[in-house]
Amino acid sequence: MKTTISFVALLATTAFSRPQPGLPFLLIWPTARSTALAGAMTGLADDPDAAFFNPAGLAFQSDLGATGSYANWLPGLYPGNHKAYGAFTYGIPAGPSARVGPSVVGFDVDCLEISNFLPYEIEFPPAWRLTIGAGAALEVTEELAVGLKAKLVHTQYVPDWVWKSMPGLGIEAGGTGTTWAADVGALWRPSAKFSLGGSVANLSPGISYASSGEHDPSPAILRIGACWTPIDKKNVRLRVLPEWDKVLVGMFFDTAGTKTFGQELQTELRDAWKSLAVEVSGLEFVTLRLGYFEDMSWKRGGLVFEEAGRVCRHNICDVLTRRGLGTLKSVGLCWGFGIGYKDYFRIDVSSDAAIYDFPTKNWRFSLVANDIAGEIRELRQGHAPWEE
């Protein structure tokens, strides 16, 4: 009971804290596939990156799997910002109808070259952030699984020795921080053609960078997604993935106190992240992906119109219910492709550059391996993919 109360209190504290969260890099889509699908992975969660979107999906993955990803993220804004991600899974049998696991270790490393903004001639290492986590999932029934992931987060923007080398500032420390966070999720798969998932990620007490101990809230996010597979044949498979995500930090935060609850709720629903993606696989070899994304709160994606010299961002609801929005200038699309053998091994490439207002080239590359032992067994049986 005490554990439940503590969990609810942490969730409430996160939701009603000040609007700007710390650790925003915890929200960046980690792999090329998830980027191409505009983050619509919570209802699918069938790759090792399920540890990021919905740890419950790990329970339905068998044997050993691994993924690794790299991107020069937002080079149009931060040319030196590199991002890497890695995760592995391993299923541990725990009975005829349930399975504990798999475990996962993921890492995010951002190396951001930052200039010296102070009037001092001093060189210091680039900023970096590191996340290391481990998760477990339980297959409660053949259709339902639940999962939990715990992670340790460390960030370093300015090391302490930099402040000590500039005593005139009167600052002894500040610019590094360490904290913990947790993710929880559930995945329901009533049939081979449909699944529904939900998760809450980045539940944390927040992080402190300043020597005063003041905390920035963690970017907790609620994710709800589905996966519908209307076509699933040997030569072609089509998946449709809708998703609705809501950053919980700053919800119903109205400093002026002028909005009614209904107005605040309407704003929160409008500001939620919304994705709709399709994934088409052909001949068990090539996969094409396209995702639509809109984020009205952080001004990404959506449909951008120009009217009377003024540029405005709108969501799909605006387009369907309003007229005279002007000339369509851009659409928040993500895209990518994968090449590999069945679902065993894949090389993925993607870009989400179109969801940003500034020119950038957001290329992300990933290697994915699922059920490695199953792939080895199939190849040993003499059914190599090039012989089929």
Side-chain angles (χ1 to χ4, degrees):
M1 184 65 178
K2 290 182 179 180
T3 302
T4 303
I5 294 175
S6 299
F7 178 82
V8 173
L10 179 60
L11 182 60
T13 302
T14 300
F16 292 93
S17 58
R18 60 182 181 175
Q20 296 300 324
L23 306 172
F25 71 95
L26 292 177
L27 299 174
I28 300 172
W29 303 321
T31 59
R33 184 191 190 194
S34 60
T35 299
L37 296 176
M41 288 288 293
T42 306
L44 179 57
D46 64 343
D47 271 351
D49 64 0
F52 181 91
F53 292 96
N54 187 355
L58 302 173
F60 294 121
Q61 299 178 30
S62 59
D63 204 78
L64 179 65
T67 185
S69 180
Y70 168 79
N72 184 8
W73 192 69
L74 288 183
L77 192 61
Y78 306 109
N81 194 3
H82 305 279
K83 185 171 183 64
Y85 175 84
F88 73 88
T89 62
Y90 187 75
I92 306 172
S97 61
R99 186 169 67 246
V100 177
S103 62
V104 62
V105 176
F107 60 87
D108 286 307
V109 182
D110 294 22
C111 295
L112 175 61
E113 298 289 346
I114 57 178
S115 59
N116 187 3
F117 298 102
L118 300 174
Y120 293 86
E121 292 295 332
I122 187 170
E123 295 182 1
F124 53 90
W128 58 276
R129 304 99 156 189
L130 176 67
T131 303
I132 300 177
L138 176 66
E139 192 177 344
V140 180
T141 69
E142 292 183 356
E143 299 177 350
L144 177 65
V146 294
L148 171 67
K149 178 184 177 183
K151 50 196 175 186
L152 184 68
V153 184
H154 178 80
T155 66
Q156 177 175 293
Y157 291 104
V158 182
D160 292 344
W161 66 262
V162 173
W163 303 119
K164 294 178 181 179
S165 66
M166 297 180 291
L169 294 176
I171 302 174
E172 296 183 357
T176 64
T178 303
T179 189
W180 61 269
D183 306 344
V184 294
L187 184 62
W188 179 50
R189 302 199 310 183
S191 71
K193 292 185 176 294
F194 180 79
S195 59
L196 178 67
S199 68
V200 180
N202 306 321
L203 287 169
S204 168
I207 191 168
S208 174
Y209 299 107
S211 55
S212 63
E214 181 181 358
H215 275 65
D216 291 329
S218 177
I221 183 170
L222 169 66
R223 296 186 173 106
I224 300 174
C227 176
W228 175 44
T229 310
I231 302 174
D232 191 4
K233 301 182 181 298
K234 181 177 181 180
N235 292 328
V236 61
R237 180 178 64 195
L238 171 64
R239 284 172 169 157
V240 181
L241 303 106
E243 178 141 348
W244 184 92
D245 299 344
K246 185 69 182 82
V247 177
L248 301 178
V249 175
M251 284 182 61
F252 303 107
F253 190 88
D254 180 16
T255 54
T258 58
K259 294 182 180 180
T260 65
F261 176 78
Q263 291 173 327
E264 291 180 351
L265 180 60
Q266 184 178 5
T267 299
E268 296 299 337
L269 294 175
R270 175 182 173 83
D271 287 349
W273 300 5
K274 304 174 189 69
S275 304
L276 179 62
V278 292
E279 181 180 70
V280 182
S281 300
L283 303 175
E284 300 180 324
F285 174 71
V286 63
T287 302
L288 304 178
R289 306 182 181 100
L290 182 67
Y292 168 80
F293 178 73
E294 60 181 39
D295 171 16
M296 298 295 107
S297 58
W298 292 359
K299 301 185 183 343
R300 297 181 299 160
L303 298 108
V304 179
F305 287 81
E306 183 176 359
E307 196 271 329
R310 189 166 62 113
V311 176
C312 296
R313 187 184 312 275
H314 296 280
N315 58 23
I316 291 181
C317 183
D318 292 336
V319 176
L320 295 177
T321 59
R322 297 168 57 182
R323 296 184 180 276
L325 297 178
T327 304
L328 180 65
K329 304 296 291 185
S330 65
V331 180
L333 294 178
C334 306
W335 64 275
F337 63 90
I339 298 175
Y341 173 51
K342 295 185 177 180
D343 290 325
Y344 288 136
F345 176 79
R346 200 172 62 245
I347 300 174
D348 292 330
V349 179
S350 71
S351 173
D352 63 348
I355 71 174
Y356 298 97
D357 289 339
F358 51 89
T360 188
K361 295 180 180 179
N362 275 23
W363 292 107
R364 191 179 297 274
F365 307 90
S366 297
L367 294 175
V368 184
N370 289 302
D371 192 7
I372 295 175
E375 179 180 8
I376 294 174
R377 286 193 299 269
E378 184 169 322
L379 293 177
R380 284 180 174 177
Q381 291 174 358
H383 298 290
W386 54 84
E387 295 176 348
E388 294 183 353

